Amino acid sequence: MRYVFTLLSLIVCSLSIAVGQPPKGGRTCRILFLAAPDDAPKTIFLNDGTTTQQVELPSLNLSDVYKLAPGNITLRLCTAIPTDEQPIPAGVPAVAVREAIVDCYLLIASDPKNTVMPLQCQVVNADPAGFRMGQMMWINLSPYQVGGQVGSRTINLKPQSQAIMESPLEGTGYYPVKIGYVPEKDQNAAVLVTTQWLNNPIGRMVVFIMILPNSRIPRIKGYSDYREPEKAKSPEGL
């Protein structure tokens, strides 16, 4: 996990592009526990300074969509709902969210050095103006150069970098994916994956390239971010 969070401060800055209209219903986030160990917690409490809600910590998919308070806030992870008698302990994992960020991913990772709670967290800006439907967000958390063909698009990522890719296919359907990496300087590229992915023009996709514990070979993990449209409230009395 030593590479997972070395880039995230850069990502937050580079993805802080033009702010679009907030998602309907206010500020939102989805949560992902990257490379969660087998004994990792499945749920936790998330405090945004105004409310505390129990949230899931999935690793195989993005969590449900959670609503957050507006303004400049700080997200804190805690094991229980805070009270006057038992407030949130100092030292819990925390991250600031700027007022301009209206949609984000909250990335969780293990942090054995944190004796209060062995987790750390980071926010990745996912505002709809800079990350639109049909696009792909690629985040290379590995120390290797990674690149290849993604449908009709070409991707080339330097170590610890990120990029937004336009939709690799018009409409819904499968497209070929062939990605490789350069193990060492001046070496030939080695193939990481040759497969097909399904394009969803009414959703977004986040792709991480990471090094898992006890491994030197990068892994590619993609997560679909499709959100069901919010149902309009029925008129009172109907």
Side-chain angles (χ1 to χ4, degrees), residues 125-143:
N125 190 349
D127 285 351
F131 184 28
R132 303 184 304 274
M133 294 298 173
Q135 291 184 325
M136 303 175 72
M137 180 189 295
W138 288 77
I139 302 176
N140 184 7
L141 300 175
S142 81

Side-chain angles (χ1 to χ4, degrees), residues 27 48-50 69-75 95-101:
R27 173 187 276 164
D48 62 11
T50 300
N72 293 313
I73 63 174
T74 298
L75 299 178
V95 62
V97 182
R98 295 181 293 104
E99 182 177 11
I101 297 178

Side-chain angles (χ1 to χ4, degrees), residues 140-167:
N140 184 7
L141 300 175
S142 81
Y144 304 110
Q145 183 173 348
V146 177
Q149 199 70 25
V150 183
S152 61
R153 309 289 180 183
T154 299
I155 188 74
N156 187 13
L157 292 169
K158 294 181 180 180
Q160 302 181 357
S161 68
Q162 63 82 31
I164 297 290
M165 175 186 287
E166 296 297 333
S167 177

Side-chain angles (χ1 to χ4, degrees), residues 1-8 32-37 58-60 107-110 138-144 146 157-161 179 181 192 206-223:
M1 290 299 296
R2 61 186 181 277
Y3 298 110
V4 169
F5 279 95
T6 58
L7 169 67
L8 292 180
L32 176 65
F33 196 155
L34 286 169
S59 60
L60 300 180
L107 304 183
I108 310 296
S110 297
W138 288 77
I139 302 176
N140 184 7
L141 300 175
S142 81
Y144 304 110
V146 177
L157 292 169
K158 294 181 180 180
Q160 302 181 357
S161 68
I179 302 294
Y181 78 108
L192 281 177
V206 187
V207 183
F208 291 95
I209 302 160
M210 67 183 77
I211 303 293
L212 297 182
N214 303 317
S215 176
R216 297 184 60 187
I217 299 176
R219 288 283 303 275
I220 298 177
K221 302 189 73 173
Y223 300 86

Side-chain angles (χ1 to χ4, degrees), residues 43-109:
T43 61
I44 207 163
F45 288 95
L46 179 66
N47 177 273
D48 62 11
T50 300
T51 61
T52 302
Q53 57 186 315
Q54 189 174 38
V55 297
E56 296 180 344
L57 300 178
S59 60
L60 300 180
N61 52 268
L62 295 171
S63 73
D64 290 339
V65 179
Y66 297 108
K67 293 185 178 181
L68 302 175
N72 293 313
I73 63 174
T74 298
L75 299 178
R76 293 180 174 86
L77 304 181
C78 42
T79 57
I81 296 177
T83 63
D84 291 339
E85 292 76 21
Q86 292 184 321
I88 299 175
V92 298
V95 62
V97 182
R98 295 181 293 104
E99 182 177 11
I101 297 178
V102 296
D103 185 41
C104 63
Y105 301 120
L106 179 62
L107 304 183
I108 310 296

Side-chain angles (χ1 to χ4, degrees), residues 172-194:
T172 303
Y174 287 91
Y175 55 88
V177 176
K178 186 174 183 179
I179 302 294
Y181 78 108
V182 180
E184 299 290 344
K185 187 177 181 180
D186 299 327
Q187 287 189 355
N188 294 329
V191 175
L192 281 177
V193 63
T194 301

